[in-house]
């Protein structure tokens, strides 16, 4: 579902840039390399292209929105940066985990437009 998300700064997908990899999609409560359907949880770690990537929060938000829109409502979606790969890892993860911040971000029409561009198919 997330491999085809477009990078906001490059004409490549997150998979092509190795920002997302299948091995980084995990169950939250158990260390399987898959979605935990029984517990309705999915966790995704993503690795920004550089340690000071200014688009890390936007990329994480795009991944989260794609999963929320694609999966049944029963799923709890956790999106976070791969540990040790970004200078502001804690701050970005905190923003992505905060439901109110995510909701507020998606109420911003400009930001929502950018997220939708990341989620749209390239022509």
């Amino acid at each position: 579902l997330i491999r085809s998300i477009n990078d906001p700064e490059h004409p490549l997908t997150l998979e092509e840039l190795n920002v997302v990899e299948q091995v980084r999609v995990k169950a939250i409560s158990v260390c399987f390399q898959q979605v935990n359907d029984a517990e309705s949880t999915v966790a995704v770690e993503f690795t920004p292209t550089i340690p000071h990537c200014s688009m890390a929060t936007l990329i994480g938000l795009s991944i989260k929105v794609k999963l929320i829109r694609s999966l049944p409502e029963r799923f709890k979606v956790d999106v976070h940066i791969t540990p040790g790969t970004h200078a502001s890892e804690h701050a970005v993860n905190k923003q992505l985990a905060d439901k109110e911040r995510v909701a507020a971000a998606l109420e911003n029409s400009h930001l929502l437009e950018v997220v939708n561009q990341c989620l749209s198919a390239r022509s």
Side-chain angles (χ1 to χ4, degrees):
L1 292 173
I2 61 174
R3 68 176 39 158
S4 63
I5 295 173
N6 299 307
D7 184 88
E9 294 183 307
H10 303 284
L12 299 169
T13 66
L14 298 183
E15 182 181 47
E16 291 168 332
L17 291 168
N18 294 321
V19 172
V20 294
E21 302 171 280
Q22 187 167 353
V23 298
R24 301 238 176 259
V25 178
K26 303 177 183 179
I28 290 176
S29 59
V30 216
C31 262
F32 296 132
Q33 302 300 320
Q34 60 189 5
V35 173
N36 189 332
D37 191 42
E39 294 188 19
S40 300
T41 58
V42 60
V44 175
E45 286 182 353
F46 69 100
T47 305
T49 53
I50 57 172
H52 294 280
C53 177
S54 62
M55 295 289 133
T57 305
L58 178 59
I59 290 168
L61 182 62
S62 296
I63 293 168
K64 190 164 190 132
V65 168
K66 176 67 175 189
L67 292 172
I68 289 170
R69 288 179 181 174
S70 302
L71 296 172
E73 286 185 33
R74 66 184 172 88
F75 277 91
K76 179 184 183 308
V77 176
D78 175 36
V79 177
H80 55 275
I81 292 179
T82 304
T85 63
H86 193 273
S88 301
E89 171 188 333
H90 177 72
V92 172
N93 288 343
K94 184 175 179 178
Q95 289 178 343
L96 293 172
D98 187 318
K99 288 182 183 180
E100 287 79 21
R101 285 185 182 187
V102 170
L106 296 177
E107 288 178 7
N108 178 314
S109 60
H110 175 69
L111 187 55
L112 183 59
E113 182 181 328
V114 174
V115 168
N116 285 333
Q117 287 174 358
C118 289
L119 300 181
S120 67
R122 296 230 191 240
S123 42

